[in-house]
Amino acid sequence: AQSVSQHNHHVILSEAASLELGCNYSYGGTVNLFWYVQYPGQHLQLLLKYFSGDPLVKGIKGFEAEFIKSKFSFNLRKPSVQWSDTAEYFCAVNNYNQGGKLIFGQGTELSVKP
Amino acid sequence: EAGVVQSPRYKIIEKKQPVAFWCNPISGHNTLYWYLQNLGQGPELLIRYENEEAVDDSQLPKDRFSAERLKGVDSTLKIQPAELGDSAVYLCASSPVASGRAGGGELFFGEGSRLTVL
């Protein structure tokens, strides 16, 4: 069965530190890739997405992610985090050629200390 | 533009009682999803509708869970009877492009309905 793995359950950083959250998936076919974010008390929302083309995609609030097909990875990065980035981050993979189910990782909770 | 609306936001019931959750998707979004999110976990798909048709309900525990989307707009998810293990957040989402198609997978989520079963 297809699965999505996020490497870190909880990450704690100080403001201005760099961030990289790992995401790996198990499916070998054509996929669409997403990072969703849930700020405290808010609903899940899209941070960035990859469908095709340039494997380095940019999202909102200075986030970016790189799709490395050979490694089945889609890691999220930000050069300098802010306190307002404190949230839970979910990687998700959509294998639209195989039924189209969007599968989420277990999430990474990011805490940024001011 | 109004987002996905869910109600109730919170529900506390005793085990064996029934419960229902309601969802109103974003206008024009033909695809509607119900996800289950347990504490510390990512959302897991329960059922996906394209218009009125349930196109993926393979993860819906059909012995106690049911869902409907009459007229292809609002949807209701019901649990009867509820068990202790059903305590979770039930998320509704909608999308303009079905996740089963190229370019799909961008979902718009509601705030969720948090269920506590005592």
Side-chain angles (χ1 to χ4, degrees), chain A residues 58-73:
Chain A
K58 297 189 183 300
I60 60 172
K61 302 186 180 183
F63 285 90
E64 65 180 29
E66 184 175 15
F67 170 47
I68 303 179
K69 188 174 182 179
S70 62
K71 295 185 177 180
F72 301 93
S73 70

Side-chain angles (χ1 to χ4, degrees), chain A residues 6 9 32 34 36 38 41-46 49 51 88 90 92 94-97 99-107, chain B residues 9 33 35 37 40-45 48 56 58-59 91 98-112:
Chain A
Q6 293 185 235
H9 187 64
N32 295 330
F34 306 84
Y36 283 83
Q38 188 167 25
Q42 297 187 26
H43 61 277
L44 269 166
Q45 56 187 285
L46 184 70
K49 61 188 177 186
F51 288 154
E88 189 149 20
F90 294 91
N94 176 26
N95 59 331
Y96 63 86
N97 282 338
K101 185 175 295 186
L102 183 65
I103 296 178
F104 286 82
Q106 68 269 39
Chain B
R9 290 291 312 280
Y33 313 77
Y35 277 85
Q37 187 174 21
Q41 301 293 320
E44 300 172 35
L45 182 68
R48 182 179 98 218
D56 185 353
S58 57
Q59 302 300 312
L91 298 170
S99 60
R101 300 181 184 174
E106 180 177 352
L107 273 55
F108 296 79
F109 284 87
E111 304 223 358

Side-chain angles (χ1 to χ4, degrees), chain A residues 4-75:
Chain A
V4 179
S5 297
Q6 293 185 235
H7 306 161
N8 309 98
H9 187 64
H10 192 187
V11 173
I12 302 173
L13 296 173
S14 297
E15 276 195 314
S18 64
L19 169 72
E20 181 161 3
L21 301 182
C23 173
N24 286 90
Y25 60 96
S26 62
Y27 182 65
T30 304
V31 293
N32 295 330
L33 301 160
F34 306 84
W35 277 95
Y36 283 83
V37 61
Q38 188 167 25
Y39 298 103
Q42 297 187 26
H43 61 277
L44 269 166
Q45 56 187 285
L46 184 70
L47 192 60
L48 49 78
K49 61 188 177 186
Y50 172 80
F51 288 154
S52 63
D54 188 343
L56 184 63
V57 294
K58 297 189 183 300
I60 60 172
K61 302 186 180 183
F63 285 90
E64 65 180 29
E66 184 175 15
F67 170 47
I68 303 179
K69 188 174 182 179
S70 62
K71 295 185 177 180
F72 301 93
S73 70
F74 190 56
N75 292 354

Side-chain angles (χ1 to χ4, degrees), chain B residues 12-57:
Chain B
I12 301 174
I13 61 172
E14 295 190 346
K15 62 181 181 182
K16 300 185 181 180
Q17 294 299 306
V19 64
F21 306 111
W22 175 81
C23 173
N24 180 243
I26 292 173
S27 177
H29 285 191
N30 295 328
T31 307
L32 182 146
Y33 313 77
W34 283 102
Y35 277 85
L36 165 71
Q37 187 174 21
N38 287 305
L39 189 64
Q41 301 293 320
E44 300 172 35
L45 182 68
L46 288 172
I47 189 168
R48 182 179 98 218
Y49 283 94
E50 292 190 21
N51 299 303
E52 307 84 20
E53 183 183 0
V55 296
D56 185 353
D57 63 355

